[in-house]
Amino acid sequence: MKRFLLLLLLLLPALMLPAREVICFDRDWRFARFGLQPDGSTRPEPPHAEAPQTDDSSWRLLDVPHDWGIEGPFRPDLEGYTGKLPWRGIGWYRKHFSMPESDRGRRIYLDFDGAMAHAQVWLNGQLVGARPYGYTSFRVDLTPYVRWGGNNVVAVRLNTEKWGSRWYPGAGIYRHVRMVKTDALHVAHWGVFVSTPRISAEKATARVQVEVSNHHATPQPCRIKVELYEMKSEGRRGRRVAHATSGSLTVGAGLTVTDSLLLDITQPRLWSLEQPNRYLAQVSLIQDDGRTADVYTTPLWHTYGGVYA
């Protein structure tokens, strides 16, 4: 009995973890600008700015979203079509954070809503991802290089010096950043797509397509449960209007599979400019032992043209 209680105490923190955590990652970044400077001079980049041991204590402390170009100053010699702002340059962002030992075994991602431009992302000195185009959001997987139970450093390099634009493009991590923690078995990134094969004022049929990713070393059997809720005007979940559960689905080790479920909604509240009704789709992954591996939600709305997530 004592051994059982000790094991339970050791496992309790992991058992209490939510299926999915989405954490704001906007605060307390360190920033420094190199290359072209606002006054037209240049500042050389330091070597190994991505390394965790690099001293960034003198760098500027700020929160993102941040745009180094919009800070100016305006310069008459610069292009008029980009606002005569000194947006060309090389920016480095670094953030220190800890990762609890209780998260070991989970997947850890960073989602960038926008970073201008030619983004490169490192964790603890290891390159984890890149995205050259500055107008699209992207995700990087931190999991392989996380220091569990210790301190971590994420570094982001952005370069707009050779970037062309017909309008002011911005510079820097100019949109929000989120850390997403999931089970090794989870709904894939942007892995829920909702459409409406049939819809009328009396009845709608929603097709919910779900991508499931398995990062376990062994195949994982599970079921997909989909629930549709009315969404109240303030964004809170309202009345449940439909639900469905798939049959058993086995996801191979390291694979992503796709399955679809059909749900019928009687007398759907259609979206219009006058009545902007919305719904919320909640997708849960239920394993054979009854444990919920993941819960993923996405808002959507009904129109006569379809349901859009």
Side-chain angles (χ1 to χ4, degrees):
M1 178 60 71
K2 290 183 178 179
R3 290 182 178 179
F4 172 77
L5 291 175
L6 179 60
L7 180 62
L8 183 61
L9 288 174
L10 291 173
L11 293 176
L12 193 58
L15 293 173
M16 295 176 63
L17 289 172
R20 174 182 289 252
E21 287 185 86
V22 180
I23 302 165
C24 176
F25 213 65
D26 287 347
R27 297 190 178 279
D28 299 326
W29 290 81
R30 293 282 180 176
F31 169 74
R33 178 171 175 172
F34 303 97
L36 291 173
Q37 298 296 294
D39 62 1
S41 63
T42 60
R43 180 187 179 190
E45 289 183 82
H48 311 299
E50 78 283 357
Q53 65 271 19
T54 295
D55 182 8
D56 56 16
S57 59
S58 64
W59 292 20
R60 179 179 167 191
L61 182 65
L62 53 75
D63 299 338
V64 300
H66 168 249
D67 182 342
W68 75 65
I70 205 70
E71 296 176 342
F74 294 101
R75 283 171 42 196
D77 60 307
L78 296 178
E79 301 93 339
Y81 54 84
T82 53
K84 294 189 176 293
L85 285 164
W87 56 275
R88 297 183 187 274
I90 297 172
W92 278 90
Y93 296 82
R94 289 168 54 91
K95 181 176 171 70
H96 299 251
F97 65 98
S98 60
M99 187 64 63
E101 179 65 33
S102 58
D103 278 332
R104 186 185 292 272
R106 305 177 87 186
R107 306 300 296 185
I108 311 297
Y109 302 100
L110 278 189
D111 290 346
F112 291 84
D113 282 350
M116 184 65 72
H118 294 284
Q120 295 173 284
V121 184
W122 290 263
L123 178 66
N124 299 325
Q126 301 294 324
L127 184 67
V128 293
R131 178 59 59 95
Y133 193 57
Y135 290 114
T136 56
S137 57
F138 64 97
R139 164 173 284 191
V140 295
D141 186 356
L142 305 184
T143 315
Y145 304 110
V146 169
R147 294 173 178 170
W148 308 102
N151 294 321
N152 296 266
V153 180
V154 62
V156 181
R157 180 185 188 268
L158 302 172
N159 184 358
T160 57
E161 287 193 343
K162 297 181 180 180
W163 191 254
S165 182
R166 292 174 291 173
W167 48 78
Y168 178 72
I173 303 178
Y174 67 97
R175 290 181 179 166
H176 296 291
V177 184
R178 291 173 302 280
M179 174 175 284
V180 180
K181 300 180 181 182
T182 72
D183 189 89
L185 179 72
H186 60 266
V187 177
H189 188 38
W190 298 325
V192 176
F193 178 76
V194 186
S195 60
T196 305
R198 295 178 296 276
I199 189 168
S200 69
E202 291 75 33
K203 182 180 178 181
T205 299
R207 181 189 300 275
V208 182
Q209 180 178 294
V210 181
E211 294 182 356
V212 183
S213 294
N214 176 23
H215 291 272
H216 288 282
T218 57
Q220 296 293 309
C222 66
R223 290 173 289 115
I224 301 172
K225 180 181 179 181
V226 177
E227 299 170 280
L228 293 183
Y229 294 88
E230 293 177 350
M231 183 182 289
K232 297 182 178 181
S233 59
E234 62 271 25
R236 292 189 296 111
R237 192 175 73 182
R239 180 175 64 96
R240 189 174 76 169
V241 298
H243 63 97
T245 303
S246 73
S248 182
L249 176 72
T250 298
V251 186
L255 299 180
T256 298
V257 301
T258 303
D259 199 5
S260 296
L261 288 83
L262 295 175
L263 298 89
D264 290 331
I265 305 100
T266 58
Q267 297 181 326
R269 301 172 61 192
L270 302 178
W271 184 94
S272 67
L273 290 174
E274 295 73 25
Q275 293 183 315
N277 299 309
R278 295 199 301 165
Y279 288 78
L280 184 75
Q282 178 172 292
V283 178
S284 303
L285 300 183
I286 313 298
Q287 295 193 289
D288 282 357
D289 59 2
R291 186 178 72 91
T292 299
D294 195 13
V295 177
Y296 181 103
T297 59
T298 186
L300 53 103
W301 55 94
H302 294 281
T303 71
Y304 278 110
V307 175
Y308 303 91

